Amino acid sequence: MVASGEPLSRVLDELIRFMEAQSGRALCSVLLVDESRTHLRWASAPSLPEAYNQDVDGLSIGAVSGSCGTAVFRKQTVVVSDIERDPLWARSRDLALSHGLRACTSVPILDREGEVLGTFAFYYREARGPSARDLGLIEISRDLAGIAIEHSRSATRIEEALRARDNFLAVASHELKTPIATLLLQITSLERLQRVAGALPIQEIAPKLGNLERQGKKLLKLVEQLLDATQLLSGRLELERAPIDLAQTVRDVVERLLDGVVEVAPEVELHADGPVLCEGDSFRIEQVVVNLLSNAWKFGRGAPVEITVEQGDGAARLLVRDRGIGIAPEDQARIFQQFERAVSVRNYGGLGLGLWLTRQLVERMRGRISVQSELDAGSTFTVELPVPHEQVCPDHR
């Protein structure tokens, strides 16, 4: 069933029914660790009372949390031969007894790295420990359930990756098509004017050439993002490490006003007193600054962008604040993932690579990036980069 791709719920149901038939006494269940790794969620228990399954769904993981919650906490088998008397069941004793459950042995299901995926439990309707045969069945159940769960999650990850790829290709095709179509249209327009009017006056040529230049730079930026992403994913992106004046780098970028990245650059409030030294790759640090400023201008609704460069405790800090549309709390972690964009910005275009590339570059320079944001109140992106070693240990020789 696993090899043929049957749904996990059907595989677990069949596994449980088989093990119950082999035991002759046990009622079995499978619970899965949730994403927060703090609770267990019901996965399969076809022979246990439905009301009990509903009550157990969401069981806390802890040192005293029945057989299953405790088994995950300890990462080892937990045998409770008498639920009525065992202190591990203090919180759920009445629940189990009300459904006629008197004993429970639970074993953690582990993946290949040793992380707990869930639990496989054998319940009994009388106070008793598991027989030697049942202990063997529990081990087999644990291993088979682990294979089924890992296979299901791998298939899910593959499906998600394929969906992300397809979505990205659709977005990339659209984003690349727009500047290319504009370039071709402007070129055709210039050729038509040339045929009709002969030599064209500069006032007619200049706007079209300016548009050609902007679209060409936009196209170049998109291609560069794709090339950087390819190099990062293949492990071929090399970074230098040298002392850099972060404050001066930011000033240089602001002075150029991100020429070609945005058509109209809003006001910039730059706060940078004196040199602020960090360690990294000067070209990639400039790329990080450009990406963050580009985003701030793009989503800032024309309001001034505030940039602060300061020497922090053991780190150089860059803060880029806009007063724009903001990012919803549920999107703030996702925006740093590959091909992902916040729901609120999907009408603004882009490949969904900029912040992912920025995070990758910052982390590869041993730094970190974070965001604080509120919808309709703007966003503040903070980058912290390591300082040169001699600044951390000035007395070291």
Side-chain angles (χ1 to χ4, degrees):
M1 291 178 71
V2 171
S4 63
E6 291 283 348
L8 179 62
S9 58
R10 285 194 59 193
V11 175
L12 295 178
D13 283 351
E14 287 301 313
L15 176 59
I16 284 174
R17 289 191 176 98
F18 178 79
M19 291 302 171
E20 288 175 344
Q22 292 296 311
S23 169
R25 292 187 176 185
L27 305 173
C28 301
S29 80
V30 174
L31 301 178
L32 298 180
V33 176
D34 69 1
E35 290 184 0
S36 70
R37 305 199 65 80
T38 59
H39 294 81
L40 289 167
R41 305 308 303 266
W42 176 88
S44 178
S47 300
L48 288 174
E50 182 62 28
Y52 180 78
N53 289 333
Q54 291 177 2
D55 286 332
V56 168
D57 187 28
L59 176 69
S60 296
I61 297 169
V64 183
S65 190
S67 299
C68 294
T70 307
V72 174
F73 182 81
R74 295 180 181 176
K75 279 193 175 182
Q76 63 185 35
T77 301
V78 172
V79 177
V80 173
S81 57
D82 190 347
I83 289 175
E84 187 172 12
R85 299 178 182 278
D86 198 295
L88 292 181
W89 279 83
R91 299 173 186 171
S92 304
R93 180 179 295 117
D94 293 341
L95 172 65
L97 295 177
S98 69
H99 291 285
L101 304 175
R102 298 294 304 275
C104 179
T105 294
S106 181
V107 59
I109 302 168
L110 307 178
D111 65 14
R112 277 169 280 189
E113 283 73 44
E115 287 296 315
V116 181
L117 299 172
T119 60
F120 204 108
F122 274 41
Y123 285 88
Y124 302 97
R125 293 198 178 277
E126 67 273 1
R128 54 162 291 170
S131 65
R133 176 178 175 78
D134 278 1
L135 286 174
L137 291 174
I138 289 173
E139 290 188 7
I140 297 171
S141 302
R142 172 199 62 200
D143 295 342
L144 290 175
I147 292 170
I149 295 166
E150 282 205 279
H151 185 276
S152 175
R153 292 188 176 181
S154 295
T156 301
R157 283 192 291 268
I158 291 171
E159 290 175 3
E160 291 173 349
L162 290 173
R163 274 198 301 272
R165 182 205 63 184
D166 292 342
N167 291 337
F168 168 72
L169 290 175
V171 171
S173 299
H174 174 75
E175 291 294 322
L176 292 169
K177 180 180 178 181
T178 301
I180 291 173
T182 303
L183 285 169
L184 294 175
L185 182 63
Q186 294 295 318
I187 292 170
T188 301
S189 177
L190 284 171
E191 289 175 342
R192 186 183 298 112
L193 286 171
Q194 177 68 26
R195 287 197 302 271
V196 173
L200 296 175
I202 190 64
Q203 61 267 28
E204 292 188 33
I205 297 176
K208 296 183 182 297
L209 291 178
N211 196 17
L212 284 170
E213 183 180 18
R214 284 192 298 273
Q215 295 300 327
K217 287 181 176 178
K218 181 179 179 182
L219 185 59
L220 179 61
K221 179 178 173 61
L222 294 173
V223 172
E224 285 175 344
Q225 282 191 342
L226 289 171
L227 291 174
D228 284 342
T230 301
Q231 286 185 307
L232 279 166
L233 291 172
S234 64
R236 291 186 286 109
L237 187 71
E238 296 183 359
L239 284 82
E240 297 180 355
R241 286 183 182 172
I244 307 295
D245 185 349
L246 181 59
Q248 188 58 50
T249 299
V250 173
R251 289 191 197 97
D252 292 343
V253 171
V254 172
E255 285 174 6
R256 292 199 305 272
L257 295 178
L258 298 182
D259 186 27
V261 177
V262 290
E263 294 186 15
V264 180
E267 180 184 349
V268 173
E269 301 171 4
L270 176 57
H271 309 284
D273 297 329
V276 177
L277 293 182
C278 67
E279 186 178 73
D281 185 304
S282 60
F283 176 75
R284 297 302 177 180
I285 289 176
E286 184 169 314
Q287 189 176 351
V288 166
V289 176
V290 168
N291 284 349
L292 293 178
L293 282 178
S294 176
N295 266 8
W297 289 359
K298 185 175 182 180
F299 306 122
R301 297 187 289 204
V305 174
E306 184 178 352
I307 307 169
T308 302
V309 186
E310 59 190 18
Q311 202 78 58
D313 185 14
R317 191 176 295 116
L318 166 69
L319 296 92
V320 179
R321 181 189 176 202
D322 67 70
R323 299 173 176 85
I325 61 176
I327 306 165
E330 61 271 18
D331 285 333
Q332 289 178 25
R334 195 163 55 82
I335 59 172
F336 292 108
Q337 297 175 12
Q338 192 179 11
F339 309 142
E340 293 284 0
R341 294 176 295 168
V343 173
S344 58
V345 304
R346 287 182 184 169
N347 293 330
Y348 286 76
L351 297 177
L353 281 176
L355 285 175
W356 176 77
L357 286 169
T358 300
R359 180 182 182 181
Q360 292 293 315
L361 293 174
V362 168
E363 291 183 349
R364 287 174 188 239
M365 289 186 286
R366 297 180 298 152
R368 62 181 181 176
I369 184 171
S370 60
V371 63
Q372 290 183 320
S373 185
E374 185 178 341
L375 283 176
D376 294 321
S379 306
T380 299
F381 286 85
T382 301
V383 173
E384 292 181 304
L385 292 169
V387 299
H389 184 68
E390 57 268 21
Q391 280 199 294
V392 179
C393 305
D395 296 328
H396 180 72
R397 297 289 184 269

